[in-house]
Amino acid sequence: MPSVAFHTLGCKVNFYETEGIWQLFKKEGYEQVDFETKADVYLINTCTVTNTGDKKSRQVIRRAIRRNPDAIIAVTGCYAQTSPAEVAAIPGVDIVIGTQDRDKIIPLVDRFRQERQPINAVRNIMKTREFEELDVPEFSDRTRAFLKIQEGCNNFCTFCIIPWSRGLLRSRRPESVLAQARQLVDAGYKEIVLTGIHTGGYGEDLEGYSLAKLLWDLDKVDGLNRVRISSIEASQITDEVLEVLQGSDKMCRHFHVPLQAGDDRVLKRMRRKYTTAEFGSKIEKIHRIMPDAAITTDVIVGFPGETEEMFANGYRFMEQMQFAEMHVFPYSKRTGTPAARMEDQVDEEVKNRRVHELIDLSERMQLAYAKPFVGQVLEVIPERPYKEAPDSGLLMGYTDNYLQVVFRGSEDLIGQLVRVRIDEAGVNECLGSDVTTLDSARSAVV
């Protein structure tokens, strides 16, 4: 039986796509082995969001070549898409395939076996208008199912290379999304996380269909308990989307809305499509409909030209927003983007200090968000044994509003929907107890 090993760098979308590529190998009778062992085929799914992403991708490719010089080395993903010649020039790389045509991976591997000639299968992504269908009916090690609904982005923010590596926005056909959702529910998943490169942009390229319509259609899928949107831009939180949040009990009380900067002048230089006032009013609307909703966000610190005054302004705005958590990144130059060529780059030490100030703020806000839930009974889907102490009999999982809860329970609860009382609030995790499974709770009611 031929063997294949995978290594995925970067974002959740890449991990989803690796699962999709594994399904193709599995159908052809391959067995999956650990990347650190000897395999017949190594597939590296690369990242290019930062210059460091490129560098890490090259290191992993070289590691695979050293592990088995006779293996077929295939490289896919964003770095392969934006720099195919650079990837192909690494001695030992056999197949380069970008962020499309991954459904042709098996014929390409077979062709290389016969011809023993390097293959560069990367095409111009900007000409692609079709969503690449990669079915993932199950996930090797997850209790929450990810479902990719769109690809690409039309925004061209000045710090970002992604439109060049992923192409322009294209949505998956609604019937395909719904068929995949039903398949995942049949496989036992209770929660589906909708994901993509610019997830909230779903439907912008479809006639008479939108993200709100998709959410209503998912609401009707029997056996599905939770729908979570992995990320949505403030401008995409339309009145129709807000109506679904109000009317459907399947929508998770958690929204990841990337802010990136809390000062209008910085937002303008980033070429973001909103002001802080517009962002704030969308968050206020969510809170009006779902007072308990967790709003998490991404922030880039030390963008070129960000002065102390702009940073302080942003800090105050973030405090005002009362985020449940912030993912804080220092700005890092990405070659090929307008921001990398801007004059007034911020000093690394200044960036570092600001990053720490925002991480401290994030932790204070995380605790402030979690505290009111102490004493409440919330629904949790246990994901795995508690990783800090795997043999302690403790499990961890997420509530629908994205509190990570650690509680005592047997491993057969993993993937089930259970009720847990929150006993203690913490920054990254809360402690809970008194577990009842929903099925037993329901039969007790009857």
Side-chain angles (χ1 to χ4, degrees):
M1 185 188 276
S3 59
V4 60
F6 297 96
H7 194 295
T8 308
L9 296 109
C11 64
K12 285 193 176 84
V13 174
N14 267 8
F15 280 88
Y16 176 90
E17 289 165 354
T18 298
E19 289 279 356
I21 296 166
W22 159 233
Q23 301 294 329
L24 301 173
F25 277 96
K26 196 161 135 184
K27 275 186 196 131
E28 289 300 310
Y30 279 76
E31 92 174 294
Q32 187 175 163
V33 297
D34 190 273
F35 192 78
E36 303 306 326
T37 59
K38 209 169 177 182
D40 299 316
V41 179
Y42 290 95
L43 186 127
I44 298 100
N45 196 350
T46 59
C47 173
T48 195
V49 75
T50 62
N51 290 349
T52 317
D54 288 1
K55 190 178 159 193
K56 276 189 187 155
S57 297
R58 287 194 295 273
Q59 286 167 344
V60 173
I61 293 164
R62 292 196 179 100
R63 210 161 80 214
I65 294 162
R66 282 198 302 274
R67 182 131 311 117
N68 182 6
D70 299 329
I72 295 174
I73 308 288
V75 183
T76 185
C78 290
Y79 176 46
Q81 181 66 47
T82 50
S83 310
E86 210 171 282
V87 174
I90 299 171
V93 169
D94 302 313
I95 299 167
V96 186
I97 184 167
T99 51
Q100 53 188 339
D101 298 332
R102 262 84 61 100
D103 51 349
K104 301 187 175 76
I105 187 75
I106 299 292
L108 289 172
V109 167
D110 293 343
R111 188 177 121 198
F112 181 82
R113 266 208 187 97
Q114 282 160 357
E115 298 173 4
R116 290 281 152 190
Q117 288 298 317
I119 299 167
N120 179 349
V122 178
R123 291 187 293 123
N124 181 350
I125 194 80
M126 287 304 178
K127 292 185 174 163
T128 300
R129 293 290 177 272
E130 282 299 303
F131 179 89
E132 173 194 52
E133 292 280 346
L134 280 176
D135 261 4
V136 185
E138 58 173 357
F139 292 81
S140 333
D141 59 349
R142 295 185 182 274
T143 49
R144 289 188 297 154
F146 286 83
L147 175 46
K148 185 177 163 190
I149 62 169
Q150 71 75 240
E151 174 64 275
C153 179
N154 296 352
N155 276 5
F156 294 94
C157 298
T158 55
F159 54 80
C160 187
I161 199 79
I162 293 304
W164 306 106
S165 65
R166 289 282 178 171
L168 299 174
L169 184 137
R170 44 212 190 275
S171 302
R172 189 171 186 171
R173 292 190 327 278
E175 54 276 22
S176 168
V177 176
L178 295 165
Q180 176 90 75
R182 284 190 275 271
Q183 213 174 3
L184 290 165
V185 170
D186 291 345
Y189 292 97
K190 309 269 185 221
E191 178 180 324
I192 286 178
V193 183
L194 302 178
T195 190
I197 295 300
H198 195 56
T199 315
Y202 178 85
E204 285 172 17
D205 56 337
L206 297 176
E207 196 71 39
Y209 200 75
S210 62
L211 177 64
K213 289 198 167 94
L214 177 70
L215 295 175
W216 278 126
D217 284 343
L218 286 166
D219 179 71
K220 298 184 192 91
V221 173
D222 284 342
L224 177 58
N225 292 82
R226 287 183 186 175
V227 177
R228 195 184 296 276
I229 304 166
S230 66
S231 181
I232 185 165
E233 293 286 337
S235 57
Q236 293 158 344
I237 302 166
T238 59
D239 288 347
E240 290 76 32
V241 167
L242 290 164
E243 274 167 33
V244 189
L245 305 187
Q246 198 159 17
S248 164
D249 57 359
K250 292 186 182 181
M251 296 301 133
C252 286
R253 296 175 296 169
H254 166 230
F255 304 93
H256 187 78
V257 191
L259 171 65
Q260 307 303 11
D263 179 276
D264 287 344
R265 289 158 294 182
V266 182
L267 287 172
K268 199 169 182 185
R269 284 171 72 97
M270 288 178 162
R271 210 188 286 149
R272 301 290 288 164
K273 292 186 161 62
Y274 50 83
T275 61
T276 48
E278 287 162 349
F279 185 97
S281 89
K282 289 295 170 80
I283 300 305
E284 203 181 303
K285 281 180 177 173
I286 293 176
H287 281 314
R288 219 175 298 148
I289 288 170
M290 286 183 171
D292 290 342
I295 310 289
T296 57
T297 197
D298 296 326
V299 179
I300 293 172
V301 180
F303 188 77
E306 183 187 67
T307 62
E308 284 299 332
E309 184 217 348
M310 291 171 190
F311 173 71
N313 226 356
Y315 186 99
R316 279 192 300 274
F317 180 73
M318 290 165 212
E319 225 169 5
Q320 211 182 316
M321 287 296 99
Q322 297 179 315
F323 291 115
E325 188 184 359
M326 302 196 296
H327 300 160
V328 182
F329 306 94
Y331 168 73
S332 83
K333 275 187 185 179
R334 180 64 188 82
T335 315
T337 59
R341 298 189 292 275
M342 287 178 182
E343 300 278 290
D344 32 12
Q345 298 289 329
V346 176
D347 181 74
E348 290 302 316
E349 273 180 33
V350 172
K351 261 189 243 179
N352 252 338
R353 173 178 55 75
R354 291 179 187 171
V355 163
H356 286 295
E357 282 183 41
L358 285 187
I359 288 173
D360 289 346
L361 172 62
S362 174
E363 290 187 350
R364 284 203 304 280
M365 292 196 292
Q366 253 177 296
L367 196 54
Y369 176 73
K371 273 183 171 167
F373 294 97
V374 172
Q376 288 193 33
V377 175
L378 300 178
E379 291 181 3
V380 177
I381 298 177
E383 292 204 356
R384 56 171 182 263
Y386 182 42
K387 62 172 182 275
E388 306 298 322
D391 302 323
S392 59
L394 294 171
L395 301 176
M396 62 74 44
Y398 287 96
T399 61
D400 75 303
N401 59 331
Y402 216 57
L403 292 176
Q404 183 166 288
V405 187
V406 175
F407 53 94
R408 191 161 295 287
S410 62
E411 287 195 23
D412 57 4
L413 293 176
I414 289 176
Q416 302 301 311
L417 204 58
V418 300
R419 284 211 166 108
V420 179
R421 191 183 66 225
I422 308 298
D423 296 329
E424 196 183 311
V427 171
N428 289 315
E429 57 204 28
C430 299
L431 299 179
S433 63
D434 277 3
V435 177
T436 51
T437 63
L438 277 190
D439 292 338
S440 62
R442 283 197 187 107
S443 53
V445 172
V446 178

